Amino acid sequence: MSRVRFVPVVLAIGLLCPLNVDAAKWNKVVNIGDSAPDWKDIPGIDDQKHSLSDYKDAKLIVQIFTCNNCPVAVAYQDRIKQLQQDYQDQGVQVVAINVNNVEGDRLPEMKERAESERFNYPYLHDASQKSARGFGATVTPHVFVLDQDRKIAYMGAVDDEMDPDMVTATYLRDAIDFLLAGKQPKIKETQQLGCGVKYE
Amino acid sequence: MLKNLASSRMCLLAVPLFALMALGTQRHVVAELPAEAVEIIAMDEKQLAAFVEERRGKVIFVDFWATWCAACIEEFPHTVELHRKYAERGLVVASMSLDDLEEKEQAQEFLNEQQAGFANWISAYGGGDESFTQFEIANGALPHYKLYDRTGRLVKTFNSGDPVDKPFTAEEVEVSVRELLDAQVDEDSQ
C-alpha cells in the first residue's frame, strides 16, 4: 500500500473502531456519561401515563428497574422509600419501573404493594420492556442515576448487601451525595445483582 | 464364643436403633434420600477452576443459584435431570449457591429435597456483589449456568436477564450438554 493511501486507511479504522476506554463493566447497552435513553407514556399505579420528561424539574432522577416478586427487590423496598424521603427536599426523584409481564407483577398487584408499603415514588409498568432494554437493565433491582443533564452518572447496585443490617457500602447514596455537591461520583458503576429481568 | 455377650449387646443396641428408625421413617416419609445427605462446601473461583482442571475428559455443568431466586428453584429439577441422564456418559454436574453463608442450612435443605446427588457448593464470598464479580455471573442475574467441554474450557454460559440476547430454555441447555458429550476430543488438546 502506498504511503498516501495508508494514512486515510488508518484514520478510517481508528474512527470505526474507537478505543472503548470507558466501556461499562457490567452493562452491555449503555455507558456512564451516555444520555439517558428516553421513555414515554408508561402507565403508573396512579392510572396516568408517565414520561421521563415529566420529571424535568428534578435535579437528579434515581431510576430503578424493580418488580413486585423478586425477594431482592422486596428487600430493598424500605431502603428506597427511605432514600426518597431523605433526599426529597434536595430535588432527587425516585422513579420505579417494572417490566416483568408475569402473574403478580402487573398493575393491579403493583397498586396493592405500593399501597400496603406506602411507596412515596411513582411505580410504573412497562409491558413493552423497551425502557429496560434501552438502559441495559438486567436484574431487579437495577439502579440508574441521571444527572441534571439527564446523563447516566451512576449505575448498578443500591449497596453491597441484600440484608440491610449487613450493608458496608452505600453506593447509591454516595453517588447521589457527590452529584448534589456538583461532583462526579467516586464510584460510578457497581455490579448489580438480583433476579433476572423477565425479558420475553 | 462371645455369642451370648454379643447377642445381649445387640439387644441393647436394637432398642435405640429401632427408635431412631421409627423417628427416621416419620420424618422422611416423602421421597428416598440419596445414600449421603447433601453437604455444601464453600468454594471460590480458583477452587472451581481447579475442580474443572482435575476433571479433563469430562463435561462439566455448574448451576449458579440462590434460595432467593424463584426461577432458580423452579428450574433446578432440570439440573438434577441432567445429572441423572448423563452422568454415565461423562457429565459432571455441580451446584453453586450465591446465598449468604448464614443461609447454608436453607440451601442444604433445598438440595436434599431435590436429591442433588452431585457436588454442591456455596460461594466463599457470601451473598454480596463480590460473588457475582469473582464468578463472572453475567448480568448479575441468576440462574446462571456454565458449561465446560472435555478439555476443561469454558465454552458456554447461559445468562439470565439479558437485555439483548434471547432468553434460554431448558431444552437448549440439554442440547448444548449433549453436543459436548458427543464431541470428538483431539488427543492434542487433552
Side-chain angles (χ1 to χ4, degrees), chain A residues 54-76:
Chain A
D54 293 348
Y55 305 100
K56 60 184 184 310
D57 294 333
K59 207 165 174 203
L60 301 176
I61 295 178
V62 178
Q63 198 170 290
I64 304 182
F65 291 96
T66 185
C67 71
N68 256 23
N69 287 308
C70 170
V72 186
V74 171
Y76 276 97

Side-chain angles (χ1 to χ4, degrees), chain A residues 25-71:
Chain A
K25 221 173 149 187
W26 294 293
N27 193 312
K28 54 159 81 167
V29 180
V30 298
N31 293 322
I32 294 294
D34 283 359
S35 290
D38 195 24
W39 46 267
K40 292 196 223 288
D41 300 331
I42 300 180
I45 53 170
D46 56 357
D47 292 323
Q48 301 296 310
K49 294 239 165 98
H50 295 250
S51 303
L52 181 56
S53 53
D54 293 348
Y55 305 100
K56 60 184 184 310
D57 294 333
K59 207 165 174 203
L60 301 176
I61 295 178
V62 178
Q63 198 170 290
I64 304 182
F65 291 96
T66 185
C67 71
N68 256 23
N69 287 308
C70 170

